[in-house]
Amino acid sequence: MDTNQTLPVMGANTAVQDELPLSFTGSGGEYFKIWIVNVVLSIVTLGIYSAWAKVRRERYFLNNTVLDLSPFEYHADPVNILKGRLLVAAVLVVANIAAEFNPILNLLVSLLFLALLPWMISKAMRFRAHNTSWRGLRFRFTGGVGDAAKAWVLWPIAAAFTLGILTPYALKAQRRYLVNSLHFGTEDFEVELPIGPIYKMLLGAGLVLILVASAFAGFGVIGALGAGGNRDAIIGSIFIGVLGIYVGAAIVAPYISVRMTNLVFNRMNLANHGFVSRMKARKYVFIVLTNWLLTALTLGLYRPFAVVRLHRYRVENIAMLPAGSIDEFVAQQEEEARVLGEEAADLLDIDLGF
């Protein structure tokens, strides 16, 4: 979608803003109080409180994320989240015990997890969408297990067998599944991604990864040669080479994340309304890397501040491009959307997402 194009207006004589930016009203200090309580209680209760911790975390971030003066809301029941986590934990425990009796079962366990993954993704997305609302209207997610299997199992397998050549198609399929299966009230989100920019993004990321890893490997080889090529020097050079791969990945991963986010939002629509994301890759990578550094230096205590810092940057660089009055848009579908939400509620009683 061309973000500079003129979008259609919903009604005559309606004043329409050029864009409605998202904003975040929370702070690192506020979230630190929630985070530290969540950590302590989760440890004391051997992880049981983690379901309540998730609800507190999600509510804080959504309730402080504001669009057109209205915050988003999170409605999940922590008991339902706990049900999902206990179910997944029970399956993993039984599978691991079975694998201990017969090593061949390790392969079967892996295949079972692969088979269940699409169902878990679909279930988790349905739960999250149903429990998220804006101005009293809930989101809905209708993505099926079959489409999830294509996006998260078949396409990644195809990408692996083609040595990564089809990876852009896997990323495209996954983003289309997440966006095109999402609905707000009675309206549908839609996105159609071109494959060219994804290839260009991955090629650039791959080049950066190779350059960083090669630089570290070269430094390691020089060090080993300077030390006379003894066994310890060779082991040290190998370690430096592996470290280079991790450093390269630490740079590339956030770069891919921000570029994909921009691509998706800039080509996404909700009815006639558009969106725009203006995140800068260099700044995003800088925030991620400095967050890791500060978290390590403070032995983890900077973690809540890091989360807020990154979330604020993402949110405040996204805006909605309204095609007309948002109030009219919400009012037009409110009754029908409420009926749909009530009918779907019984099907979304547990969360399998962590």
Side-chain angles (χ1 to χ4, degrees):
M1 170 185 174
D2 182 357
T3 58
N4 293 320
Q5 71 185 48
T6 302
L7 294 167
V9 179
M10 293 181 65
N13 301 321
T14 302
V16 181
Q17 292 181 240
D18 291 336
E19 63 179 47
L20 297 174
L22 285 167
S23 62
F24 183 70
T25 59
S27 69
E30 287 179 348
Y31 180 56
F32 180 84
K33 298 174 184 177
I34 295 173
W35 175 81
I36 196 68
V37 172
N38 284 348
V39 170
V40 172
L41 291 180
S42 295
I43 293 173
V44 170
T45 60
L46 301 179
I48 293 176
Y49 185 78
S50 64
W52 281 262
K54 176 178 179 177
V55 170
R56 291 187 68 200
R57 180 179 68 248
E58 296 291 342
R59 281 182 180 162
Y60 180 78
F61 280 98
L62 281 176
N63 290 355
N64 283 286
T65 300
V66 179
L67 174 64
D68 195 28
L69 303 180
S70 299
F72 290 82
E73 296 181 88
Y74 189 67
H75 310 276
D77 182 349
V79 174
N80 294 330
I81 295 176
L82 183 61
K83 289 179 185 177
R85 293 187 172 182
L86 291 177
L87 175 61
V88 173
V91 171
L92 291 176
V93 169
V94 171
N96 285 328
I97 291 175
E100 287 295 325
F101 286 98
N102 188 344
I104 297 178
L105 289 177
N106 280 317
L107 176 61
L108 296 179
V109 169
S110 298
L111 293 176
L112 176 63
F113 176 78
L114 197 62
L116 290 176
L117 181 62
W119 177 73
M120 294 173 65
I121 291 172
S122 175
K123 190 73 172 176
M125 292 304 301
R126 284 171 180 265
F127 183 91
R128 180 173 180 81
H130 176 71
N131 286 291
T132 303
S133 70
W134 183 71
R135 289 196 177 180
L137 285 175
R138 298 209 183 201
F139 290 81
R140 293 183 297 120
F141 189 84
T142 57
V145 175
D147 289 334
K150 293 177 184 177
W152 266 272
V153 178
L154 297 183
W155 272 115
I157 290 175
F161 274 105
T162 59
L163 301 179
I165 293 176
L166 293 181
T167 299
Y169 288 91
L171 292 177
K172 176 180 178 179
Q174 291 167 2
R175 296 316 186 276
R176 289 189 74 253
Y177 175 78
L178 294 175
V179 174
N180 291 358
S181 301
L182 185 63
H183 318 275
F184 177 65
T186 60
E187 295 293 346
D188 306 332
F189 284 90
E190 294 180 331
V191 69
E192 189 54 55
L193 300 176
I195 205 67
I198 303 178
Y199 267 110
K200 183 178 178 180
M201 173 194 68
L202 291 182
L203 287 173
L207 180 60
V208 171
L209 180 59
I210 291 172
L211 290 175
V212 172
S214 298
F216 273 76
F219 180 78
V221 170
I222 293 173
L225 293 175
N230 59 59
R231 180 174 175 273
D232 290 340
I234 293 174
I235 293 175
S237 68
I238 293 174
F239 173 79
I240 292 175
V242 173
L243 179 62
I245 295 175
Y246 278 102
V247 172
I251 296 173
V252 165
Y255 167 79
I256 292 175
S257 175
V258 70
R259 289 290 302 275
M260 282 300 299
T261 299
N262 284 347
L263 182 62
V264 169
F265 271 96
N266 292 341
R267 293 180 174 272
M268 185 172 71
N269 292 288
L270 172 62
N272 292 324
H273 306 288
F275 298 87
V276 62
S277 176
R278 299 188 178 95
M279 288 189 288
K280 304 297 183 183
R282 289 184 180 179
K283 184 167 184 178
Y284 188 84
V285 170
F286 174 78
I287 291 174
V288 170
L289 295 180
T290 53
N291 277 350
W292 287 349
L293 177 61
L294 291 172
T295 300
L297 292 176
T298 59
L299 302 179
L301 292 178
Y302 186 74
R303 175 63 181 169
F305 298 90
V307 173
V308 168
R309 182 186 179 202
L310 189 62
H311 182 76
R312 184 189 304 279
Y313 181 75
R314 291 175 66 93
V315 165
E316 295 186 349
N317 279 281
I318 293 173
M320 184 177 187
L321 307 177
S325 168
I326 297 299
D327 293 333
E328 291 179 15
F329 172 67
V330 173
Q332 285 173 1
Q333 53 180 320
E334 195 167 18
E335 288 303 319
E336 187 177 352
R338 284 177 177 171
V339 172
L340 287 172
E342 290 168 2
E343 290 176 349
D346 291 339
L347 302 175
L348 306 166
D349 57 344
I350 63 172
D351 177 25
L352 295 174
F354 285 72

mmCIF file of all heavy atoms in Angstrom, residues 26-69:
data_model
loop_
_atom_site.group_PDB
_atom_site.id
_atom_site.type_symbol
_atom_site.label_atom_id
_atom_site.label_comp_id
_atom_site.label_asym_id
_atom_site.label_seq_id
_atom_site.Cartn_x
_atom_site.Cartn_y
_atom_site.Cartn_z
ATOM 1 N N GLY A 26 2.788 4.387 29.635
ATOM 2 C CA GLY A 26 3.423 3.730 30.769
ATOM 3 C C GLY A 26 4.857 4.195 30.965
ATOM 4 O O GLY A 26 5.387 4.995 30.198
ATOM 5 N N SER A 27 5.495 3.661 32.007
ATOM 6 C CA SER A 27 6.891 4.016 32.292
ATOM 7 C C SER A 27 7.614 2.796 32.849
ATOM 8 O O SER A 27 6.992 1.866 33.376
ATOM 9 C CB SER A 27 6.957 5.164 33.305
ATOM 10 O OG SER A 27 6.516 4.733 34.585
ATOM 11 N N GLY A 28 8.935 2.826 32.730
ATOM 12 C CA GLY A 28 9.738 1.731 33.245
ATOM 13 C C GLY A 28 9.595 1.558 34.748
ATOM 14 O O GLY A 28 9.556 0.438 35.259
ATOM 15 N N GLY A 29 9.500 2.672 35.476
ATOM 16 C CA GLY A 29 9.363 2.620 36.930
ATOM 17 C C GLY A 29 8.070 1.935 37.357
ATOM 18 O O GLY A 29 8.054 1.119 38.292
ATOM 19 N N GLU A 30 6.965 2.263 36.676
ATOM 20 C CA GLU A 30 5.689 1.629 36.987
ATOM 21 C C GLU A 30 5.729 0.134 36.700
ATOM 22 O O GLU A 30 5.283 -0.681 37.517
ATOM 23 C CB GLU A 30 4.572 2.269 36.149
ATOM 24 C CG GLU A 30 4.170 3.659 36.575
ATOM 25 C CD GLU A 30 3.085 4.232 35.685
ATOM 26 O OE1 GLU A 30 2.809 3.642 34.620
ATOM 27 O OE2 GLU A 30 2.516 5.261 36.057
ATOM 28 N N TYR A 31 6.275 -0.210 35.543
ATOM 29 C CA TYR A 31 6.295 -1.624 35.168
ATOM 30 C C TYR A 31 7.258 -2.421 36.037
ATOM 31 O O TYR A 31 7.036 -3.608 36.286
ATOM 32 C CB TYR A 31 6.662 -1.785 33.691
ATOM 33 C CG TYR A 31 6.690 -3.235 33.262
ATOM 34 C CD1 TYR A 31 5.568 -4.049 33.442
ATOM 35 C CD2 TYR A 31 7.841 -3.793 32.703
ATOM 36 C CE1 TYR A 31 5.587 -5.383 33.064
ATOM 37 C CE2 TYR A 31 7.858 -5.131 32.321
ATOM 38 C CZ TYR A 31 6.739 -5.913 32.521
ATOM 39 O OH TYR A 31 6.761 -7.235 32.153
ATOM 40 N N PHE A 32 8.313 -1.773 36.537
ATOM 41 C CA PHE A 32 9.258 -2.464 37.420
ATOM 42 C C PHE A 32 8.536 -3.028 38.649
ATOM 43 O O PHE A 32 8.814 -4.160 39.079
ATOM 44 C CB PHE A 32 10.369 -1.515 37.866
ATOM 45 C CG PHE A 32 11.375 -2.157 38.789
ATOM 46 C CD1 PHE A 32 12.437 -2.881 38.273
ATOM 47 C CD2 PHE A 32 11.234 -2.055 40.172
ATOM 48 C CE1 PHE A 32 13.360 -3.490 39.127
ATOM 49 C CE2 PHE A 32 12.155 -2.658 41.025
ATOM 50 C CZ PHE A 32 13.214 -3.378 40.495
ATOM 51 N N LYS A 33 7.604 -2.255 39.215
ATOM 52 C CA LYS A 33 6.863 -2.717 40.398
ATOM 53 C C LYS A 33 6.041 -3.959 40.070
ATOM 54 O O LYS A 33 5.981 -4.911 40.858
ATOM 55 C CB LYS A 33 5.953 -1.602 40.907
ATOM 56 C CG LYS A 33 6.693 -0.349 41.350
ATOM 57 C CD LYS A 33 5.723 0.771 41.712
ATOM 58 C CE LYS A 33 6.467 2.055 42.049
ATOM 59 N NZ LYS A 33 5.530 3.183 42.327
ATOM 60 N N ILE A 34 5.400 -3.958 38.900
ATOM 61 C CA ILE A 34 4.608 -5.120 38.478
ATOM 62 C C ILE A 34 5.524 -6.303 38.214
ATOM 63 O O ILE A 34 5.252 -7.431 38.633
ATOM 64 C CB ILE A 34 3.795 -4.772 37.213
ATOM 65 C CG1 ILE A 34 2.761 -3.691 37.534
ATOM 66 C CG2 ILE A 34 3.120 -6.015 36.641
ATOM 67 C CD1 ILE A 34 2.027 -3.170 36.314
ATOM 68 N N TRP A 35 6.625 -6.039 37.543
ATOM 69 C CA TRP A 35 7.558 -7.097 37.145
ATOM 70 C C TRP A 35 8.182 -7.792 38.345
ATOM 71 O O TRP A 35 8.243 -9.026 38.391
ATOM 72 C CB TRP A 35 8.644 -6.482 36.261
ATOM 73 C CG TRP A 35 9.738 -7.416 35.873
ATOM 74 C CD1 TRP A 35 9.721 -8.341 34.868
ATOM 75 C CD2 TRP A 35 11.036 -7.522 36.490
ATOM 76 N NE1 TRP A 35 10.927 -9.008 34.806
ATOM 77 C CE2 TRP A 35 11.747 -8.522 35.792
ATOM 78 C CE3 TRP A 35 11.665 -6.861 37.545
ATOM 79 C CZ2 TRP A 35 13.053 -8.884 36.126
ATOM 80 C CZ3 TRP A 35 12.953 -7.219 37.889
ATOM 81 C CH2 TRP A 35 13.641 -8.215 37.181
ATOM 82 N N ILE A 36 8.638 -7.029 39.322
ATOM 83 C CA ILE A 36 9.317 -7.630 40.470
ATOM 84 C C ILE A 36 8.358 -8.472 41.298
ATOM 85 O O ILE A 36 8.711 -9.553 41.793
ATOM 86 C CB ILE A 36 10.010 -6.542 41.351
ATOM 87 C CG1 ILE A 36 11.025 -7.195 42.303
ATOM 88 C CG2 ILE A 36 8.994 -5.718 42.099
ATOM 89 C CD1 ILE A 36 12.213 -7.789 41.610
ATOM 90 N N VAL A 37 7.111 -8.022 41.441
ATOM 91 C CA VAL A 37 6.101 -8.814 42.154
ATOM 92 C C VAL A 37 5.803 -10.094 41.390
ATOM 93 O O VAL A 37 5.682 -11.183 41.969
ATOM 94 C CB VAL A 37 4.816 -7.992 42.369
ATOM 95 C CG1 VAL A 37 3.697 -8.877 42.927
ATOM 96 C CG2 VAL A 37 5.081 -6.827 43.319
ATOM 97 N N ASN A 38 5.669 -9.973 40.068
ATOM 98 C CA ASN A 38 5.414 -11.152 39.238
ATOM 99 C C ASN A 38 6.523 -12.194 39.378
ATOM 100 O O ASN A 38 6.270 -13.393 39.494
ATOM 101 C CB ASN A 38 5.286 -10.745 37.770
ATOM 102 C CG ASN A 38 3.947 -10.098 37.460
ATOM 103 O OD1 ASN A 38 3.023 -10.136 38.275
ATOM 104 N ND2 ASN A 38 3.843 -9.511 36.284
ATOM 105 N N VAL A 39 7.764 -11.731 39.357
ATOM 106 C CA VAL A 39 8.907 -12.653 39.459
ATOM 107 C C VAL A 39 8.917 -13.364 40.806
ATOM 108 O O VAL A 39 9.041 -14.593 40.884
ATOM 109 C CB VAL A 39 10.235 -11.884 39.246
ATOM 110 C CG1 VAL A 39 11.413 -12.777 39.596
ATOM 111 C CG2 VAL A 39 10.347 -11.417 37.801
ATOM 112 N N VAL A 40 8.757 -12.589 41.875
ATOM 113 C CA VAL A 40 8.817 -13.171 43.222
ATOM 114 C C VAL A 40 7.688 -14.176 43.438
ATOM 115 O O VAL A 40 7.916 -15.303 43.909
ATOM 116 C CB VAL A 40 8.761 -12.060 44.293
ATOM 117 C CG1 VAL A 40 8.616 -12.664 45.686
ATOM 118 C CG2 VAL A 40 10.009 -11.183 44.215
ATOM 119 N N LEU A 41 6.463 -13.800 43.097
ATOM 120 C CA LEU A 41 5.327 -14.689 43.325
ATOM 121 C C LEU A 41 5.372 -15.927 42.429
ATOM 122 O O LEU A 41 4.944 -17.010 42.835
ATOM 123 C CB LEU A 41 4.020 -13.929 43.114
ATOM 124 C CG LEU A 41 3.705 -12.857 44.168
ATOM 125 C CD1 LEU A 41 2.386 -12.168 43.873
ATOM 126 C CD2 LEU A 41 3.673 -13.463 45.567
ATOM 127 N N SER A 42 5.899 -15.772 41.211
ATOM 128 C CA SER A 42 6.026 -16.931 40.321
ATOM 129 C C SER A 42 7.028 -17.935 40.895
ATOM 130 O O SER A 42 6.825 -19.151 40.800
ATOM 131 C CB SER A 42 6.460 -16.487 38.919
ATOM 132 O OG SER A 42 5.457 -15.702 38.315
ATOM 133 N N ILE A 43 8.099 -17.431 41.485
ATOM 134 C CA ILE A 43 9.101 -18.316 42.100
ATOM 135 C C ILE A 43 8.523 -18.995 43.341
ATOM 136 O O ILE A 43 8.652 -20.209 43.524
ATOM 137 C CB ILE A 43 10.369 -17.520 42.465
ATOM 138 C CG1 ILE A 43 11.074 -17.035 41.190
ATOM 139 C CG2 ILE A 43 11.317 -18.379 43.303
ATOM 140 C CD1 ILE A 43 12.238 -16.099 41.452
ATOM 141 N N VAL A 44 7.870 -18.209 44.199
ATOM 142 C CA VAL A 44 7.322 -18.739 45.448
ATOM 143 C C VAL A 44 6.263 -19.809 45.183
ATOM 144 O O VAL A 44 6.178 -20.811 45.906
ATOM 145 C CB VAL A 44 6.729 -17.601 46.294
ATOM 146 C CG1 VAL A 44 5.941 -18.150 47.487
ATOM 147 C CG2 VAL A 44 7.841 -16.681 46.790
ATOM 148 N N THR A 45 5.458 -19.625 44.127
ATOM 149 C CA THR A 45 4.378 -20.579 43.821
ATOM 150 C C THR A 45 4.802 -21.642 42.820
ATOM 151 O O THR A 45 3.956 -22.345 42.260
ATOM 152 C CB THR A 45 3.155 -19.829 43.257
ATOM 153 O OG1 THR A 45 3.539 -19.142 42.043
ATOM 154 C CG2 THR A 45 2.620 -18.822 44.258
ATOM 155 N N LEU A 46 6.111 -21.743 42.570
ATOM 156 C CA LEU A 46 6.656 -22.741 41.628
ATOM 157 C C LEU A 46 6.047 -22.604 40.228
ATOM 158 O O LEU A 46 5.757 -23.599 39.562
ATOM 159 C CB LEU A 46 6.420 -24.155 42.171
ATOM 160 C CG LEU A 46 7.042 -24.449 43.552
ATOM 161 C CD1 LEU A 46 6.716 -25.863 43.987
ATOM 162 C CD2 LEU A 46 8.545 -24.217 43.529
ATOM 163 N N GLY A 47 5.817 -21.373 39.819
ATOM 164 C CA GLY A 47 5.358 -21.102 38.470
ATOM 165 C C GLY A 47 3.860 -20.976 38.306
ATOM 166 O O GLY A 47 3.386 -20.530 37.253
ATOM 167 N N ILE A 48 3.090 -21.351 39.314
ATOM 168 C CA ILE A 48 1.630 -21.292 39.177
ATOM 169 C C ILE A 48 1.153 -19.851 38.976
ATOM 170 O O ILE A 48 0.249 -19.581 38.176
ATOM 171 C CB ILE A 48 0.951 -21.916 40.411
ATOM 172 C CG1 ILE A 48 1.235 -23.423 40.446
ATOM 173 C CG2 ILE A 48 -0.550 -21.659 40.405
ATOM 174 C CD1 ILE A 48 0.685 -24.122 41.670
ATOM 175 N N TYR A 49 1.780 -18.906 39.694
ATOM 176 C CA TYR A 49 1.354 -17.506 39.585
ATOM 177 C C TYR A 49 1.689 -16.906 38.219
ATOM 178 O O TYR A 49 1.198 -15.836 37.876
ATOM 179 C CB TYR A 49 2.008 -16.671 40.689
ATOM 180 C CG TYR A 49 1.521 -15.241 40.718
ATOM 181 C CD1 TYR A 49 0.298 -14.908 41.279
ATOM 182 C CD2 TYR A 49 2.293 -14.213 40.158
ATOM 183 C CE1 TYR A 49 -0.157 -13.606 41.294
ATOM 184 C CE2 TYR A 49 1.845 -12.899 40.169
ATOM 185 C CZ TYR A 49 0.622 -12.599 40.737
ATOM 186 O OH TYR A 49 0.176 -11.304 40.741
ATOM 187 N N SER A 50 2.498 -17.583 37.411
ATOM 188 C CA SER A 50 2.906 -17.024 36.118
ATOM 189 C C SER A 50 1.711 -16.699 35.223
ATOM 190 O O SER A 50 1.788 -15.809 34.378
ATOM 191 C CB SER A 50 3.860 -17.979 35.401
ATOM 192 O OG SER A 50 3.207 -19.197 35.081
ATOM 193 N N ALA A 51 0.609 -17.438 35.384
ATOM 194 C CA ALA A 51 -0.594 -17.139 34.588
ATOM 195 C C ALA A 51 -1.162 -15.778 34.979
ATOM 196 O O ALA A 51 -1.553 -14.978 34.122
ATOM 197 C CB ALA A 51 -1.638 -18.229 34.796
ATOM 198 N N TRP A 52 -1.206 -15.502 36.280
ATOM 199 C CA TRP A 52 -1.681 -14.194 36.750
ATOM 200 C C TRP A 52 -0.659 -13.105 36.376
ATOM 201 O O TRP A 52 -1.046 -11.981 36.061
ATOM 202 C CB TRP A 52 -1.893 -14.232 38.262
ATOM 203 C CG TRP A 52 -3.180 -14.894 38.649
ATOM 204 C CD1 TRP A 52 -4.360 -14.264 38.960
ATOM 205 C CD2 TRP A 52 -3.433 -16.300 38.743
ATOM 206 N NE1 TRP A 52 -5.331 -15.202 39.246
ATOM 207 C CE2 TRP A 52 -4.791 -16.458 39.124
ATOM 208 C CE3 TRP A 52 -2.659 -17.443 38.537
ATOM 209 C CZ2 TRP A 52 -5.376 -17.715 39.311
ATOM 210 C CZ3 TRP A 52 -3.233 -18.696 38.713
ATOM 211 C CH2 TRP A 52 -4.571 -18.835 39.101
ATOM 212 N N ALA A 53 0.608 -13.473 36.400
ATOM 213 C CA ALA A 53 1.656 -12.527 36.019
ATOM 214 C C ALA A 53 1.487 -12.104 34.558
ATOM 215 O O ALA A 53 1.651 -10.927 34.218
ATOM 216 C CB ALA A 53 3.029 -13.160 36.224
ATOM 217 N N LYS A 54 1.155 -13.061 33.701
ATOM 218 C CA LYS A 54 0.965 -12.730 32.294
ATOM 219 C C LYS A 54 -0.192 -11.758 32.109
ATOM 220 O O LYS A 54 -0.098 -10.792 31.344
ATOM 221 C CB LYS A 54 0.704 -13.992 31.482
ATOM 222 C CG LYS A 54 0.414 -13.689 30.018
ATOM 223 C CD LYS A 54 0.207 -14.932 29.174
ATOM 224 C CE LYS A 54 -0.104 -14.541 27.735
ATOM 225 N NZ LYS A 54 -0.251 -15.709 26.844
ATOM 226 N N VAL A 55 -1.295 -12.005 32.821
ATOM 227 C CA VAL A 55 -2.463 -11.120 32.697
ATOM 228 C C VAL A 55 -2.119 -9.721 33.172
ATOM 229 O O VAL A 55 -2.476 -8.722 32.523
ATOM 230 C CB VAL A 55 -3.659 -11.678 33.497
ATOM 231 C CG1 VAL A 55 -4.788 -10.652 33.574
ATOM 232 C CG2 VAL A 55 -4.169 -12.961 32.849
ATOM 233 N N ARG A 56 -1.406 -9.611 34.297
ATOM 234 C CA ARG A 56 -1.013 -8.288 34.801
ATOM 235 C C ARG A 56 -0.109 -7.572 33.788
ATOM 236 O O ARG A 56 -0.253 -6.370 33.549
ATOM 237 C CB ARG A 56 -0.278 -8.421 36.129
ATOM 238 C CG ARG A 56 -1.144 -8.886 37.290
ATOM 239 C CD ARG A 56 -0.373 -8.814 38.589
ATOM 240 N NE ARG A 56 -0.106 -7.427 38.974
ATOM 241 C CZ ARG A 56 0.850 -7.060 39.822
ATOM 242 N NH1 ARG A 56 1.667 -7.981 40.330
ATOM 243 N NH2 ARG A 56 1.034 -5.790 40.130
ATOM 244 N N ARG A 57 0.827 -8.327 33.187
ATOM 245 C CA ARG A 57 1.744 -7.738 32.209
ATOM 246 C C ARG A 57 0.994 -7.265 30.962
ATOM 247 O O ARG A 57 1.179 -6.130 30.500
ATOM 248 C CB ARG A 57 2.804 -8.770 31.824
ATOM 249 C CG ARG A 57 3.819 -8.255 30.816
ATOM 250 C CD ARG A 57 4.847 -9.298 30.489
ATOM 251 N NE ARG A 57 4.285 -10.429 29.743
ATOM 252 C CZ ARG A 57 4.154 -11.646 30.219
ATOM 253 N NH1 ARG A 57 4.510 -11.930 31.471
ATOM 254 N NH2 ARG A 57 3.650 -12.614 29.469
ATOM 255 N N GLU A 58 0.148 -8.137 30.424
ATOM 256 C CA GLU A 58 -0.572 -7.785 29.197
ATOM 257 C C GLU A 58 -1.515 -6.606 29.437
ATOM 258 O O GLU A 58 -1.637 -5.716 28.591
ATOM 259 C CB GLU A 58 -1.359 -8.994 28.693
ATOM 260 C CG GLU A 58 -0.503 -10.175 28.264
ATOM 261 C CD GLU A 58 0.284 -9.878 26.998
ATOM 262 O OE1 GLU A 58 -0.066 -8.938 26.274
ATOM 263 O OE2 GLU A 58 1.268 -10.601 26.741
ATOM 264 N N ARG A 59 -2.182 -6.597 30.572
ATOM 265 C CA ARG A 59 -3.101 -5.499 30.871
ATOM 266 C C ARG A 59 -2.346 -4.179 30.996
ATOM 267 O O ARG A 59 -2.820 -3.138 30.541
ATOM 268 C CB ARG A 59 -3.872 -5.793 32.164
ATOM 269 C CG ARG A 59 -5.030 -6.755 31.959
ATOM 270 C CD ARG A 59 -5.805 -7.004 33.232
ATOM 271 N NE ARG A 59 -6.907 -7.935 32.971
ATOM 272 C CZ ARG A 59 -7.551 -8.609 33.908
ATOM 273 N NH1 ARG A 59 -7.218 -8.453 35.179
ATOM 274 N NH2 ARG A 59 -8.527 -9.425 33.585
ATOM 275 N N TYR A 60 -1.170 -4.231 31.615
ATOM 276 C CA TYR A 60 -0.412 -2.990 31.769
ATOM 277 C C TYR A 60 -0.034 -2.405 30.414
ATOM 278 O O TYR A 60 -0.230 -1.207 30.162
ATOM 279 C CB TYR A 60 0.847 -3.223 32.609
ATOM 280 C CG TYR A 60 1.652 -1.956 32.776
ATOM 281 C CD1 TYR A 60 1.252 -0.985 33.698
ATOM 282 C CD2 TYR A 60 2.777 -1.699 31.987
ATOM 283 C CE1 TYR A 60 1.960 0.200 33.838
ATOM 284 C CE2 TYR A 60 3.487 -0.519 32.126
ATOM 285 C CZ TYR A 60 3.067 0.423 33.048
ATOM 286 O OH TYR A 60 3.754 1.604 33.170
ATOM 287 N N PHE A 61 0.508 -3.259 29.536
ATOM 288 C CA PHE A 61 0.972 -2.739 28.247
ATOM 289 C C PHE A 61 -0.194 -2.346 27.338
ATOM 290 O O PHE A 61 -0.137 -1.312 26.669
ATOM 291 C CB PHE A 61 1.885 -3.763 27.571
ATOM 292 C CG PHE A 61 3.278 -3.750 28.119
ATOM 293 C CD1 PHE A 61 3.675 -4.675 29.072
ATOM 294 C CD2 PHE A 61 4.182 -2.785 27.721
ATOM 295 C CE1 PHE A 61 4.957 -4.646 29.599
ATOM 296 C CE2 PHE A 61 5.466 -2.739 28.243
ATOM 297 C CZ PHE A 61 5.860 -3.679 29.193
ATOM 298 N N LEU A 62 -1.260 -3.125 27.309
ATOM 299 C CA LEU A 62 -2.388 -2.773 26.454
ATOM 300 C C LEU A 62 -3.152 -1.571 26.996
ATOM 301 O O LEU A 62 -3.556 -0.689 26.229
ATOM 302 C CB LEU A 62 -3.331 -3.970 26.295
ATOM 303 C CG LEU A 62 -2.878 -5.036 25.299
ATOM 304 C CD1 LEU A 62 -3.828 -6.219 25.299
ATOM 305 C CD2 LEU A 62 -2.772 -4.462 23.879
ATOM 306 N N ASN A 63 -3.363 -1.512 28.305
ATOM 307 C CA ASN A 63 -4.101 -0.390 28.880
ATOM 308 C C ASN A 63 -3.357 0.930 28.746
ATOM 309 O O ASN A 63 -3.951 2.003 28.854
ATOM 310 C CB ASN A 63 -4.401 -0.647 30.358
ATOM 311 C CG ASN A 63 -5.432 -1.749 30.560
ATOM 312 O OD1 ASN A 63 -5.986 -2.265 29.601
ATOM 313 N ND2 ASN A 63 -5.671 -2.132 31.800
ATOM 314 N N ASN A 64 -2.048 0.854 28.537
ATOM 315 C CA ASN A 64 -1.254 2.065 28.343
ATOM 316 C C ASN A 64 -0.917 2.328 26.877
ATOM 317 O O ASN A 64 -0.181 3.267 26.573
ATOM 318 C CB ASN A 64 0.032 1.983 29.165
ATOM 319 C CG ASN A 64 -0.199 2.245 30.639
ATOM 320 O OD1 ASN A 64 -0.427 3.385 31.053
ATOM 321 N ND2 ASN A 64 -0.176 1.187 31.439
ATOM 322 N N THR A 65 -1.434 1.486 25.985
ATOM 323 C CA THR A 65 -1.287 1.717 24.556
ATOM 324 C C THR A 65 -2.561 2.378 24.053
ATOM 325 O O THR A 65 -3.647 1.809 24.168
ATOM 326 C CB THR A 65 -1.038 0.395 23.801
ATOM 327 O OG1 THR A 65 0.165 -0.205 24.292
ATOM 328 C CG2 THR A 65 -0.887 0.644 22.309
ATOM 329 N N VAL A 66 -2.432 3.593 23.528
ATOM 330 C CA VAL A 66 -3.604 4.436 23.254
ATOM 331 C C VAL A 66 -3.685 4.794 21.771
ATOM 332 O O VAL A 66 -2.687 5.167 21.147
ATOM 333 C CB VAL A 66 -3.537 5.732 24.099
ATOM 334 C CG1 VAL A 66 -4.730 6.625 23.797
ATOM 335 C CG2 VAL A 66 -3.481 5.385 25.584
ATOM 336 N N LEU A 67 -4.898 4.662 21.217
ATOM 337 C CA LEU A 67 -5.188 5.086 19.849
ATOM 338 C C LEU A 67 -6.388 6.018 19.886
ATOM 339 O O LEU A 67 -7.453 5.648 20.396
ATOM 340 C CB LEU A 67 -5.481 3.874 18.961
ATOM 341 C CG LEU A 67 -5.937 4.191 17.526
ATOM 342 C CD1 LEU A 67 -4.831 4.907 16.747
ATOM 343 C CD2 LEU A 67 -6.359 2.910 16.804
ATOM 344 N N ASP A 68 -6.234 7.224 19.365
ATOM 345 C CA ASP A 68 -7.321 8.216 19.327
ATOM 346 C C ASP A 68 -7.929 8.414 20.716
ATOM 347 O O ASP A 68 -9.148 8.397 20.886
ATOM 348 C CB ASP A 68 -8.389 7.764 18.332
ATOM 349 C CG ASP A 68 -9.349 8.897 17.965
ATOM 350 O OD1 ASP A 68 -8.932 10.072 18.020
ATOM 351 O OD2 ASP A 68 -10.507 8.594 17.637
ATOM 352 N N LEU A 69 -7.074 8.575 21.720
ATOM 353 C CA LEU A 69 -7.451 8.847 23.110
ATOM 354 C C LEU A 69 -8.122 7.663 23.799
ATOM 355 O O LEU A 69 -8.593 7.795 24.945
ATOM 356 C CB LEU A 69 -8.390 10.072 23.194
ATOM 357 C CG LEU A 69 -7.852 11.377 22.601
ATOM 358 C CD1 LEU A 69 -8.875 12.485 22.758
ATOM 359 C CD2 LEU A 69 -6.539 11.769 23.268
#
